[in-house]
Structure formats: structure tokens, C-alpha cells
Amino acid sequence: MSKNKKKQEIWDGNVRDAALTILLTVDKSQAYSNLLLHQTIEKYKIEAKDRGLLTELTYGTLQYKLTLDYYLEPFIHGKVDIWVRWLLRMSLYQMHYLTRIPAHAAVNEAVEIAKRRGHKGIASMVNGILRSILREGVRSTDLIEDANERLAVETSHPQWLVNRWVESYGYEQTREMLLENNIAPLQTVRVNTTKATVEQVLTTLEREGVKARRSEFMPECIHLESGQAARTGAFRNGLITIQDESSMLPAKVLNPQPGMKVLDMCAAPGGKTTHLAEVMKNEGSILATDLHVKKLDLIDENVARLGLNIIETAPLDGRKAANLLAKESYDAILVDAPCSGLGVMRRKPDIKYTKREEDLESLQTIQLAILNNAVQLLKQNGRLVYSTCTVDRRENEGTVQAFLKEHPEMNLEPIENLPEQLKAKQQNGMLQVFPQDIGSDGFFVAAFVKKGASN
């Protein structure tokens, strides 16, 4: 009884114990590590010094799970409980990857946790395994003959995904992406240009003691090198929005003009919706719809904080939108479709292990259904942008090709309004951004214009 009680108590001041509880919860209930971490930090008001280590232990152990298992395998004999396996992974992560933590300290901590959560026998086994690794070191990945398999283990990505990407993008491009996926993401924010200039926001942040610099890619993007965006006055006063740099692409590419009537079909939590409003100088109208009613509250909160007044929200399933909204009534439509999310693994390392190949195939049906509705709602000569936060040729380009086949009235058109560094990367109105391209999430954008009448 007392053992279970301890497992539920996330925070008692022990960072490693808390990280282990989060890892177990992620594993057991397929919860997202980024959300759990955020909730834990907020709920227990964890101090900055502990916050950093807690985040590093949780993300790091998840990022390198498959590599850690490869290193541990020769030392584990027989069956071990799932919590013991996660404890061993987390401890080895510290020993192997975190040079500032003395290895013996990581071993001692692991033994103490094993005693508290289990019994002396388990503590003794954990001690034995970790001390053997300290003595003998871990085995080299050079022992793996197959290049793709070796890459999968070295970068801790599932084999099916590595094979799929190597087939689509080649070995080198894939290798760069997998390595980038394991690097912690930069904190990036978008300046609300209806309220302030980038220079004004940089000055405001500097006054608040936050180190920041202007991005060399997106003109309205700022990179934060210290501090937390959400805790700044600039955020509270609606001068900035927390958003990954590559997800600023859809609004730039759609480029709606002030006064236009715009539809954002999968809008929550509103990062791209509010960006559209800022691009439109807060003039015109935007209808932001989403299937999930609760998520619309997040859009409303963002809109209020940013002081934008051209956005209206409505709960609506994009697959049925054409039955409920006026046909051919929108100048521009954004479809940031539900996708596999393979581009955001740096933020959600758990995606690597929870996605299955069959999940990717079923998503295309939903994506096409939303796009089919978008066509009917778009005016003649109207612009449509389709975007996803994934890196998958079949899911992205495959969906575009299937869509064009069904809709001869829609034409792909060259993408304008791109950062200089990405202009050469677009192909026939489609752009696949890899995590290594601008050091941000993997992202895909395609731009269409409606040239004929809807079927």
C-alpha cells in the first residue's frame, strides 16, 4: 500500500524521483512528456535550479531510450520490472551523457530510489548493473553491421521510421535530421506587429533581464537565450506569442491582405490564427474553427491577450464545414491539418515510440476530407495553404498529389514570402522544412490557387 502511495507522490524535493515518476506516467498512459513536465513544475512550484535538471533527465532519458537499452542489454540478466528499467535508463543517461554529474553520485541516487520504491534485493541489482557499466564501459554501436539499424540505435529512433526516411530523403539528410531531433529546441517567440516593432520588444525583454536576439530567418521572430517567455511582461501585455519558428511559415505563405475574409480550419490553440490577424494588420475577418470545443477557449485567451479583434471562433468539424458555411465565400483558407507530428520530436520525444506506421496511413483520409471542404468554401482565385508539422513524404506530398487528382480546379503555385534561406528549397509549390534547416521543427507547406469552379 505505502509503495503505491510513494509512486503517486511526484514531488518530495527529489528531482530524480520526480523524473522517474514522469517517465513512468508517460510510458503507462501515453501522456505527453512536455505537458506532464509543465504541470509538475507549475503544481509544485519547482525552483529554477531543480527545474533544469528535472527537464533534462526527463527529455534526455526519453530522447535516448533505444540507445540506452542497447547499452544496458548485456548487463541485464532475466526480467526486470518496468520501473526498474526506467530507473536504469535514467541513471545511465546521467552517467553517459551528463558530464557535470559525477557517475558515482548517479549510482548512489539510483540505489536510494530502488530501496525506497522496491526492496534491498532490487537496490543491490541496480547497484551491481550500474557499477559493472562503470567498470567495463558500454559497447560500441560499431558492432551493428546494418547502416540503418546502427543509425536507429545511435540516434534512438525506431527502425521503421529510419528505413522510411532513408528511402524518402537519403541516408545523409536522414542522419542530420535524427541528430537534430535530439537537440533541445530554442525558445522562439513571434512579435505582435500590431502592437510593437521587433526592436521595441527586444528593448523591453532586455530591460526585464531576458537575453534575446532577432532571428535571421523570420523577420518577426525572436530567439530567447535566457529566461522564460511566459513569465515576461512582454508576454502578459500581448507583445509576443510563444511559437516555433517554422510554424510561422503558414501565415506568411498564405499572406492574407488587410480587409480579407479568412478561414482557419484547424485553428486551436491559435498560434497561426493570431499570426494571420497580425499579417492582416487586424483588419478584415477571420473565422477560426476547431473540432474540440475546449481548445477554442485557448484561442479566445490568446486573442484577448494580444488585443486582436477580427477573430471569431466556432466549434466545427472541418470534414463537414462546407455543409454549414457559405460556399465560395472566403478569400483565403488555412488548413493546418491533423498530422503524425513527426516534425516536433525535439519537444515531444515520446512521439518516436508511440507512433506506428499504420497511424500515418489513416491520417491522409482526414486531411483530404478537410481539404475537400476547403475547396468548396474558397472563392474563385482564392488562396489555400495546406500545412503540417511532420516530415514524411507520403503524408505530405502524397496528400497533395491525391488532392490535386480530385480537384483539377486547384493549382499549386510557387510559394512567395519565404525567408531567403528557404526559397531554393521549395519544389513546385511545396516546401518541406527539416529540423536542421533553420534549427526549428520539421514542417511542410503547400500553396494552391483556385482557378476553376468547384465540382
Side-chain angles (χ1 to χ4, degrees), residues 161-380:
L161 197 50
V162 176
N163 292 342
R164 189 176 170 110
W165 281 345
V166 168
E167 188 190 319
S168 290
Y169 307 118
Y171 182 87
E172 270 315 308
Q173 180 90 294
T174 300
R175 184 174 176 276
E176 275 183 49
M177 170 162 51
L178 301 180
L179 291 169
E180 188 78 27
N181 275 349
N182 290 335
I183 297 169
L186 261 175
Q187 208 184 157
T188 54
V189 297
R190 186 188 80 234
V191 173
N192 178 0
T193 48
T194 68
K195 277 193 170 189
T197 64
V198 173
E199 282 70 27
Q200 285 167 338
V201 172
L202 283 169
T203 306
T204 305
L205 289 170
E206 199 179 316
R207 278 198 207 114
E208 292 191 62
V210 173
K211 203 174 168 206
R213 61 184 164 85
R214 189 179 194 143
S215 165
E216 55 193 83
F217 303 107
M218 290 286 176
E220 60 268 69
C221 179
I222 287 176
H223 293 182
L224 264 58
E225 291 169 4
S226 72
Q228 278 188 294
R231 291 168 189 258
T232 62
F235 179 82
R236 279 193 304 279
N237 299 327
L239 303 183
I240 55 172
T241 295
I242 298 164
Q243 189 182 20
D244 186 76
E245 189 159 11
S246 58
S247 69
M248 296 177 199
L249 280 167
K252 299 289 284 183
V253 170
L254 188 62
N255 199 21
Q257 298 307 299
M260 276 189 174
K261 186 180 177 186
V262 177
L263 175 63
D264 185 354
M265 290 181 79
C266 310
K272 298 176 189 71
T273 318
T274 51
H275 193 190
L276 289 168
E278 290 163 16
V279 169
M280 292 162 72
K281 300 185 169 60
N282 202 23
E283 293 169 28
S285 73
I286 298 174
L287 178 62
T289 66
D290 203 272
L291 179 59
H292 306 283
V293 183
K294 273 188 181 167
K295 287 187 179 176
L296 292 174
D297 294 344
L298 295 171
I299 304 180
D300 294 332
E301 280 169 32
N302 271 320
V303 168
R305 185 178 58 79
L306 296 164
L308 301 165
N309 52 24
I310 65 166
I311 297 166
E312 213 183 310
T313 56
L316 190 66
D317 184 339
R319 293 168 293 186
K320 299 168 186 163
N323 301 333
L324 298 154
L325 301 172
K327 300 270 170 78
E328 303 213 330
S329 63
Y330 291 93
D331 299 298
I333 298 178
L334 173 61
V335 174
D336 184 53
C339 71
S340 58
L342 299 176
V344 297
M345 286 180 183
R346 295 193 301 179
R347 285 161 212 291
K348 300 174 183 173
D350 4 354
I351 284 176
K352 294 197 274 194
Y353 318 114
T354 53
K355 290 286 175 209
R356 295 163 312 164
E357 196 149 16
E358 50 268 34
D359 297 340
L360 275 61
E361 312 308 325
S362 61
L363 280 161
Q364 193 176 82
T365 314
I366 299 166
Q367 291 158 354
L368 287 170
I370 298 170
L371 285 168
N372 290 341
N373 277 266
V375 173
Q376 297 172 60
L377 298 167
L378 191 64
K379 285 179 184 176
Q380 289 284 321

Side-chain angles (χ1 to χ4, degrees), residues 67 117 173 206 244 284 297 385 392 397 427 435 451:
T67 319
R117 286 183 179 246
Q173 180 90 294
E206 199 179 316
D244 186 76
D297 294 344
V385 162
D392 191 78
E397 292 175 32
Q427 291 177 308
K451 289 297 182 193

